[in-house]
Amino acid sequence: MQNNQVQIFDTTLRDGEQVPGCKLDTKQKLVIAERLDLLGVNVIEAGFPVSSPGDFNSVSEIAKIVKNASVCGLTRAVENDIKVAAEALKFAKHPRIHTGIGTSDSHIKYKFKSSRDAVIERAVKAVSYAKSFVEDIEFYAEDAGRTDNAYLAKVCEAVIKAGATVLNIPDTTGYCLPEEYGAKIKYLRENVKGIDNVILSCHCHNDLGMATANSISGVINGARQIECTINGIGERAGNTALEEVVMVLKQHPYLNLETSINTKLLYDTSIMVRESMGMPVQPNKAIVGANAFAHSSGIHQDGVIKNRETYEIMDPEDVGVTESAIVLTARSGRAALAYRAKKIGYELTKVQLDSAYKTFLETADKQKEVKDDDIHQIMKKVSESSKITMI
Ligand code: KIV
Ligand code: ZN
């Protein structure tokens, strides 16, 4: 019987930070690492220590300050990478080495000019060597999404025997369909000896916009860790967005899958990452985009004003957004105008509202959005013929 806790493995500081323009210095990384720990992530992938002295230093400093989460360093299946990662992680309370190798035929043939058997041998050697430094070893089968399942099962079995504690099944190229990715996880659960003693992990990229769906399909089929980044930043079209998978699981309690994330910190964390990386978030981004809880059409606004649940499937406060926004545009109705006017101090009679609405539409047709300053002007005009009650 599997437990229902899904571990959240954050790779904002590794897969996220490797994006052009997202580079952070050690000080900035420390601030984000502290925030991720507070947010409640289970693992922080702090970097790729062998890649540069700066990254080594960041991983080492993060390892010193993180109180609760495991701190993880990435390596290739190369002895020196592993030795350097172990050194960078030596002060971590809970160190994890993340090592691995490409397992798809295209990686084996073109990247390594090798064979399936030789790749298994390298994988086993890397895991055994990493095990000589730390107990917690995560193995990644790069491009697992396009790896033949029977061969992938053989790789997994071999690295479990060598001491891997977590098996990462990356859809490196973001190619899989949710059903296909879920079936891969299920296949491994049913065909790999020793699988019940390790955690299967989903690491999905978003090239076809399916990273979140694939990760959820993975956990429904038995994976118990999701690798993700704040705002979904990462190589090319990005990684699975942390805020999305966490809220999918929270909003679908019948799945009986939980995370330890304090969701009320999601919005602030998103802002912190976008500001320090200088990487803006699209307004229509799920959960943390500027429009995620904004309503602009009259029909929707009327519904939300009567009862938020008519057009919102989650409470904005649950993700740290103070309230839903009613944005006034030429598509807004009387209900929205009266609502906004009341918020800034005007109580309108029906006749006053009719008159104000006429002026409102004239203004709205001239500009994209009607702001509070415009409403004050509209109320001034209406007051000339009929005195408005101030509240
Ligand atoms: O996408 C990927 O396959 C990776 C591995 C290095 C884990 O980021
Ligand atoms: Zn990746």
Side-chain angles (χ1 to χ4, degrees), residues 236-250:
R236 306 179 309 280
N239 286 64
T240 303
L242 180 149
E243 60 277 6
E244 292 177 14
V245 285
V246 166
M247 291 313 290
V248 170
L249 298 181
K250 188 175 167 77

Side-chain angles (χ1 to χ4, degrees), residues 11 14-15 18 45 142 168 170-172 203-205 227 234-236 238-239:
T11 184
R14 199 278 298 170
D15 222 337
Q18 68 195 49
E45 186 162 54
E142 195 181 9
N168 178 8
D171 182 22
T172 305
H203 179 114
C204 298
H205 280 266
E227 310 200 358
E235 284 280 349
R236 306 179 309 280
N239 286 64

Side-chain angles (χ1 to χ4, degrees), residues 251-310:
Q251 296 310 113
H252 290 274
Y254 63 88
L255 291 176
N256 197 23
L257 293 169
E258 289 169 3
T259 73
S260 54
I261 298 298
N262 177 356
T263 63
K264 289 190 190 303
L265 297 179
L266 286 173
Y267 187 64
D268 276 0
T269 308
S270 163
I271 301 280
M272 174 190 273
V273 169
R274 65 183 93 161
E275 284 178 354
S276 63
M277 287 190 166
M279 185 57 85
V281 161
Q282 77 210 50
N284 60 331
K285 165 82 182 61
I287 321 292
V288 294
N291 292 347
F293 297 97
H295 306 273
S296 55
S297 93
I299 296 169
H300 290 205
Q301 290 176 333
D302 181 51
V304 169
I305 290 166
K306 286 173 177 150
N307 186 323
R308 195 188 55 72
E309 287 181 14
T310 52

Side-chain angles (χ1 to χ4, degrees), residues 161-375:
K161 263 201 211 132
T165 45
V166 181
L167 298 186
N168 178 8
I169 310 300
D171 182 22
T172 305
T173 56
Y175 181 71
C176 285
L177 292 168
E179 237 184 25
E180 188 186 0
Y181 187 75
K184 192 173 280 286
I185 298 292
K186 187 162 184 274
Y187 180 89
L188 295 175
R189 282 195 52 76
E190 288 171 353
N191 290 282
V192 174
K193 224 184 276 155
I195 200 81
D196 288 337
N197 305 322
V198 300
I199 293 175
L200 273 169
S201 182
C202 310
H203 179 114
C204 298
H205 280 266
N206 204 32
D207 299 66
L208 290 171
M210 289 191 290
T212 294
N214 283 344
S215 301
I216 296 298
S217 180
V219 293
I220 288 173
N221 282 283
R224 283 296 175 269
Q225 178 175 280
I226 294 178
E227 310 200 358
C228 45
T229 60
I230 302 294
N231 301 332
I233 56 155
E235 284 280 349
R236 306 179 309 280
N239 286 64
T240 303
L242 180 149
E243 60 277 6
E244 292 177 14
V245 285
V246 166
M247 291 313 290
V248 170
L249 298 181
K250 188 175 167 77
Q251 296 310 113
H252 290 274
Y254 63 88
L255 291 176
N256 197 23
L257 293 169
E258 289 169 3
T259 73
S260 54
I261 298 298
N262 177 356
T263 63
K264 289 190 190 303
L265 297 179
L266 286 173
Y267 187 64
D268 276 0
T269 308
S270 163
I271 301 280
M272 174 190 273
V273 169
R274 65 183 93 161
E275 284 178 354
S276 63
M277 287 190 166
M279 185 57 85
V281 161
Q282 77 210 50
N284 60 331
K285 165 82 182 61
I287 321 292
V288 294
N291 292 347
F293 297 97
H295 306 273
S296 55
S297 93
I299 296 169
H300 290 205
Q301 290 176 333
D302 181 51
V304 169
I305 290 166
K306 286 173 177 150
N307 186 323
R308 195 188 55 72
E309 287 181 14
T310 52
Y311 287 96
E312 281 182 357
I313 52 97
M314 63 194 130
D315 188 337
E317 284 188 12
D318 278 352
V319 301
V321 173
T322 36
E323 60 175 352
S324 321
I326 299 290
V327 183
L328 293 179
T329 69
R331 305 282 88 78
S332 301
R334 284 173 176 72
L337 175 61
Y339 171 83
R340 190 73 222 153
K342 194 167 177 183
K343 282 245 166 198
I344 59 172
Y346 303 98
E347 185 84 63
L348 302 172
T349 64
K350 183 167 178 322
V351 176
Q352 286 167 336
L353 179 59
D354 283 343
S355 155
Y357 189 62
K358 242 178 98 190
T359 318
F360 164 80
L361 284 182
E362 283 162 18
T363 312
D365 268 338
K366 286 189 217 124
Q367 55 199 59
K368 283 194 172 155
E369 196 182 323
V370 178
K371 301 278 190 106
D372 289 353
D373 279 353
D374 302 308
I375 297 179

Side-chain angles (χ1 to χ4, degrees), residues 371-387:
K371 301 278 190 106
D372 289 353
D373 279 353
D374 302 308
I375 297 179
H376 287 303
Q377 290 306 317
I378 294 168
M379 296 305 144
K380 220 165 137 192
K381 211 166 154 198
V382 174
S383 264
E384 285 164 11
S385 51
S386 154
K387 187 148 176 41

Side-chain angles (χ1 to χ4, degrees), residues 8-179:
I8 295 296
F9 174 116
D10 182 278
T11 184
T12 305
L13 298 176
R14 199 278 298 170
D15 222 337
E17 203 252 359
Q18 68 195 49
V19 171
C22 285
K23 173 122 188 46
L24 301 173
D25 60 30
T26 300
K27 229 167 111 193
Q28 289 170 311
K29 285 190 191 175
L30 285 168
V31 173
I32 292 180
E34 249 178 341
R35 165 51 70 114
L36 293 171
D37 205 23
L38 191 68
L39 183 66
V41 309
N42 306 92
V43 185
I44 296 173
E45 186 162 54
F48 182 10
V50 85
S51 65
S52 74
D55 217 37
F56 178 92
N57 185 47
S58 297
V59 175
S60 170
E61 293 305 310
I62 290 169
K64 288 177 194 160
I65 61 139
V66 168
K67 294 194 177 78
N68 306 306
S70 297
V71 179
C72 173
L74 183 79
T75 81
R76 296 165 295 180
V78 170
E79 276 202 0
N80 189 50
D81 285 27
I82 295 168
K83 198 164 93 193
V84 171
E87 178 65 22
L89 292 167
K90 73 177 176 203
F91 296 112
K93 275 203 182 115
H94 311 286
R96 175 181 293 184
I97 292 178
H98 189 190
T99 190
I101 190 163
T103 53
S104 65
D105 286 336
S106 112
H107 279 226
I108 293 172
K109 187 169 167 200
Y110 301 115
K111 237 172 86 170
F112 306 122
K113 299 186 179 19
S114 184
S115 67
R116 285 184 169 189
D117 285 347
V119 160
I120 294 186
E121 218 173 283
R122 262 185 83 178
V124 166
K125 244 175 106 185
V127 170
S128 311
Y129 186 59
K131 200 77 178 177
S132 69
F133 296 102
V134 300
E135 178 49 37
D136 192 8
I137 309 297
E138 175 166 338
F139 174 80
Y140 65 85
E142 195 181 9
D143 206 14
R146 294 187 299 171
T147 299
D148 162 57
N149 283 350
Y151 173 64
L152 186 60
K154 255 177 102 176
V155 176
C156 289
E157 210 163 293
V159 295
I160 291 173
K161 263 201 211 132
T165 45
V166 181
L167 298 186
N168 178 8
I169 310 300
D171 182 22
T172 305
T173 56
Y175 181 71
C176 285
L177 292 168
E179 237 184 25

